[in-house]
Amino acid sequence: MNPALIIFLVLAFFIFMSSFFTVKQQSSVVIERFGKFLSVRNSGLQLKIPIVDRIAGRVNLKIQQLDVIIETKTKDNVFIKMKVSVQFKVIQEKVYDAFYKLEYPHDQITAYVFDVVRAEVPKLKLDDVFERKDDIAIAVKRELNEAMTTYGYDIINTLVTDIDPDIQVKNAMNRINAADREKTAAEFEAESSRIRIVAKAKAEAESKRLQGQGIADQRREIARGLVESVEVLNSVGINSQEASALIVVTQHYDTLQAIGADANSNLILLPNSPQAGSDMLNNMVASFSASNQVGEMMKKNNKKIEKKPKPIQPQSGYEDDILPETEQ
């Protein structure tokens, strides 16, 4: 066989095979003929005229993400770095616009994100930036949709994924937060202490009230017992003064016995000798007798004063009215 024929057949085979091409799922191919746009081919096996038609480019129809890091400042002059994630895709019906109208879509999207963020963030304070990051994301999405739809791009979503202030600002914010929490803890501790103090005071007041009531009842019963003791002693011929003195001496020795029964007691009662008890009894009897005598004398003096006739005092203004008839 002629070698030239063989070469021709091989070339013809390769030219024929180059007429077929495949397009992957979620992508489109732009076909040009002699440098002029011819058509957009979608997924599957496609055919083109060899040498005349060529594949100008392939366009990805999947959702893509572009992360943009922006440094800007807030209204209170705090510099922060923000990370904005833009999710976008090429509209299938506008592959021509996406391929021919815009050469660097990532740069275009980045420029719009910078423009919107640096217009919105300086209006907000640092705390408001954290609280209203969704509003910033919505503003970026709205601006990008208006601008990129013309070029065949659809903005799916925009997210503010990170807000990073300066390290000194973050330390200051942490200190403020820690101080605020310490203040809250101190308030709770103070309230807890107040509750404990009030409860303790109420308990002490109730204890003292009950203690005072107990002491009053005890003294009432002691007085009642003393009255009964005096009546018993009177029935056997001992008068009230001697009975009272005897009871006081008996209580004195009972007190000494109670003190001696406690091994750890360091109380000393003076006087505490038997002779002192006898002297105490004699002194009390003498005191009672003297007080009775003084009482009897005071009663007699009062009776004498009551028996004396009171002089009639002339009433004011009557001396001039009562005169002898001769003087009138």
Side-chain angles (χ1 to χ4, degrees):
M1 183 179 290
N2 190 351
L5 180 61
I6 294 174
I7 295 173
F8 176 78
L9 291 175
V10 172
L11 291 175
F13 176 76
F14 278 107
I15 292 172
F16 175 76
M17 291 302 297
S18 65
S19 301
F20 298 94
F21 66 96
T22 58
V23 181
K24 293 182 179 180
Q25 187 68 31
Q26 289 297 315
S27 63
S28 295
V29 172
V30 178
I31 302 298
E32 292 179 353
R33 179 172 293 175
F34 298 117
K36 182 180 180 180
F37 171 76
L38 178 64
S39 64
V40 175
R41 307 292 177 86
N42 295 320
S43 59
L45 181 63
Q46 302 291 336
L47 179 64
K48 65 180 178 65
I49 300 174
I51 302 175
V52 177
D53 297 338
R54 74 178 186 90
I55 298 176
R58 296 179 181 269
V59 178
N60 187 2
L61 300 180
K62 295 179 182 179
I63 295 176
Q64 304 175 60
Q65 178 167 310
L66 175 64
D67 294 330
V68 182
I69 298 177
I70 312 148
E71 185 175 8
T72 182
K73 78 177 188 67
T74 61
K75 187 176 181 180
D76 46 356
N77 296 321
V78 177
F79 282 87
I80 60 175
K81 288 183 179 179
M82 296 182 63
K83 182 179 179 181
V84 180
S85 298
V86 181
Q87 298 171 353
F88 65 97
K89 71 173 183 176
V90 176
I91 303 172
Q92 189 169 3
E93 293 78 13
K94 295 185 177 182
V95 173
Y96 174 86
D97 296 331
F99 187 77
Y100 286 102
K101 288 186 176 182
L102 199 60
E103 185 172 4
Y104 301 107
H106 287 189
D107 294 343
Q108 191 80 1
I109 293 173
T110 301
Y112 277 107
V113 172
F114 266 82
D115 182 66
V116 175
V117 170
R118 287 183 172 175
E120 294 292 330
V121 173
K123 299 177 183 178
L124 305 173
K125 293 184 178 180
L126 180 60
D127 294 337
D128 296 334
V129 172
F130 283 93
E131 294 177 1
R132 300 178 57 183
K133 66 182 185 67
D134 292 338
D135 296 340
I136 298 173
I138 292 172
V140 172
K141 181 181 179 182
R142 181 176 60 249
E143 187 71 19
L144 284 175
N145 265 328
E146 293 177 358
M148 299 303 294
T149 303
T150 308
Y151 304 112
Y153 285 88
D154 181 25
I155 306 301
I156 305 300
N157 202 359
T158 55
L159 303 171
V160 178
T161 56
D162 189 21
I163 301 173
D164 187 18
D166 186 79
I167 185 64
Q168 295 180 354
V169 177
K170 287 194 287 187
N171 292 336
M173 293 174 67
N174 291 333
R175 290 197 299 270
I176 292 172
N177 189 19
D180 185 60
R181 292 183 181 274
E182 289 177 359
K183 177 183 176 182
T184 303
E187 291 176 354
F188 279 107
E189 289 178 359
E191 182 66 17
S192 176
S193 299
R194 186 189 68 82
I195 293 173
R196 287 197 297 270
I197 292 172
V198 171
K200 183 178 179 181
K202 289 182 179 180
E204 290 180 355
E206 182 66 15
S207 174
K208 290 180 180 179
R209 186 184 68 81
L210 295 176
Q211 184 179 3
Q213 183 177 353
I215 293 174
D217 293 340
Q218 179 186 11
R219 290 176 178 175
R220 191 180 299 109
E221 293 301 323
I222 290 173
R224 191 174 300 164
L226 291 176
V227 171
E228 294 177 355
S229 299
V230 171
E231 290 178 353
V232 171
L233 292 174
N234 288 336
S235 65
V236 296
I238 299 175
N239 59 27
S240 299
Q241 296 157 354
E242 294 175 348
S244 299
L246 180 61
I247 292 171
V248 170
V249 173
T250 303
Q251 289 181 345
H252 174 74
Y253 283 106
D254 289 341
T255 303
L256 291 178
Q257 183 179 0
I259 294 173
D262 190 356
N264 297 323
S265 176
N266 55 5
L267 178 65
I268 298 176
L269 185 64
L270 296 175
N272 57 0
S273 63
Q275 183 63 35
S278 177
D279 294 341
M280 183 185 297
L281 178 60
N282 295 332
N283 291 334
M284 291 182 66
V285 171
S287 298
F288 287 140
S289 299
S291 62
N292 287 336
Q293 292 177 2
V294 172
E296 292 296 331
M297 292 178 63
M298 291 179 66
K299 289 180 180 179
K300 291 180 181 180
N301 291 333
N302 290 335
K303 288 181 179 180
K304 290 180 180 180
I305 292 172
E306 290 176 357
K307 289 180 179 180
K308 288 182 179 181
K310 294 182 180 180
I312 298 174
Q313 297 292 335
Q315 295 182 359
S316 177
Y318 283 89
E319 290 84 352
D320 297 334
D321 295 336
I322 305 173
L323 297 173
E325 293 182 355
T326 55
E327 293 181 0
Q328 292 180 357

